[in-house]
């Protein structure tokens, strides 16, 4: 990882609320090839880029008047960061943070404290906040409150999956346990876990509120016993 200095980048990534971010090297951020297309996504692009690459940043007073707007600097750095962490060097930097547990752990009990990675639900800045992805249960969750306001586009939609494509040996095994709902030690029937308005599994003989009504086969057809259905729903039997 890059050595710290007195730049805006170093100051910004060391803020406690930006713990998820790694430090993008100057040589990467200066390469025009790496910045292709970003000039149309951030206004006052060149001045903002010059400001965040300045090696002498006044942490007490911030940017000088007319130099750049702090929000634009954050947006541009976030977009550059999202590209950098997809590179081999960027993945290596994020791997250090991942193995250190900087991104937190999965809140799911049966994932047993599996460490997570940051993820964006969109690649467009300003649309959603960052989430965390658990590679064990392969689901996403809210991050810890300290970093929850980071823009998801600072990481993008592809990062966790590219990370494990490059480092497959870090992929954990899927959870071996799953929670089983019980009452007094007995497993609940699957129908008991469905809302009344939900459709029953294919082939089920038990109608719901949304099931289409069937015409009676004859005038002597017996009506459905609602009490029997209710008890059957909760896995009790009248027989």
């Amino acid at each position: 990882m890059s050595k710290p200095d007195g730049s805006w980048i170093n100051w910004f990534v060391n803020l406690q609320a930006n713990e998820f971010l790694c430090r993008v090297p100057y040589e990467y951020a200066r390469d025009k090839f790496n910045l292709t297309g970003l000039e149309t996504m951030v206004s006052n692009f060149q001045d903002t880029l010059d400001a965040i690459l300045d090696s002498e940043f006044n942490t007490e007073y911030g940017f000088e008047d007319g130099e750049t707007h702090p929000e634009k600097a954050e947006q541009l750095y976030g977009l550059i960061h999202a590209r950098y962490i997809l590179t081999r060097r960027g993945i290596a930097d994020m791997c250090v943070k991942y193995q250190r547990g900087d991104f937190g752990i999965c809140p799911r009990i049966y994932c047993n404290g599996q460490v997570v990675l940051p993820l964006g639900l969109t690649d467009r800045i300003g649309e959603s906040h960052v989430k965390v992805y658990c590679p064990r249960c392969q689901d996403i969750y809210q991050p810890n409150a300290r970093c929850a306001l980071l823009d998801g586009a600072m990481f993008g939609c592809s990062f966790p999956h590219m990370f494990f494509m490059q480092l497959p040996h870090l992929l954990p095994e899927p959870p071996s346990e799953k929670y089983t709902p019980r009452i007094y030690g007995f497993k609940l029937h699957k129908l008991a876990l469905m809302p009344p308005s939900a459709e029953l599994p294919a082939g089920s003989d038990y109608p719901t509120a949304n099931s289409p009504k069937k015409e009676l086969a004859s005038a002597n057809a017996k009506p459905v016993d609602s009490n029997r259905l209710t008890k059957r729903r909760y896995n009790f039997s009248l027989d």
Side-chain angles (χ1 to χ4, degrees), residues 37-189:
L38 296 186
E39 62 274 5
T40 64
M41 303 174 69
V42 178
S43 59
N44 201 19
F45 172 79
Q46 191 57 53
D47 289 343
T48 303
L49 180 62
D50 292 340
I52 67 176
L53 293 178
D54 190 346
S55 60
E56 297 181 1
F57 174 69
N58 190 323
T59 59
E60 184 176 355
Y61 297 103
F63 293 118
E64 296 179 3
D65 292 340
E67 188 174 16
T68 192
H69 193 282
E71 183 179 353
K72 297 301 179 184
E74 293 178 18
Q75 290 179 356
L76 180 56
Y77 183 79
L79 292 170
I80 296 173
H81 181 272
R83 295 185 176 188
Y84 172 68
I85 61 176
L86 295 179
T87 67
R88 185 179 298 275
R89 184 175 175 183
I91 287 176
D93 286 351
M94 293 295 273
C95 183
V96 173
K97 298 175 72 65
Y98 171 73
Q99 293 181 313
R100 198 165 57 198
D102 289 358
F103 308 124
I105 61 173
C106 180
R108 188 176 181 273
I109 297 297
Y110 291 115
C111 283
N112 298 317
Q114 171 65 46
V115 288
V116 295
L117 283 170
L119 169 77
L121 298 182
T122 174
D123 294 322
R124 294 181 293 276
I125 205 82
E127 292 192 2
S128 71
H129 293 131
V130 66
K131 306 294 183 265
V132 291
Y133 169 80
C134 174
R136 188 178 295 275
C137 64
Q138 299 181 358
D139 210 343
I140 60 174
Y141 303 91
Q142 292 290 352
N144 63 61
R146 186 170 63 246
C147 299
L149 295 182
L150 282 172
D151 198 298
M154 291 180 163
F155 307 92
C157 304
S158 305
F159 168 62
H161 318 301
M162 181 66 76
F163 181 92
F164 287 112
M165 284 183 65
Q166 295 294 322
L167 304 171
H169 62 283
L170 294 180
L171 267 174
E173 293 292 329
S176 57
E177 297 178 88
K178 183 179 180 181
Y179 175 70
T180 302
R182 298 174 182 270
I183 292 181
Y184 300 127
F186 295 98
K187 292 182 181 180
L188 293 180
H189 191 278

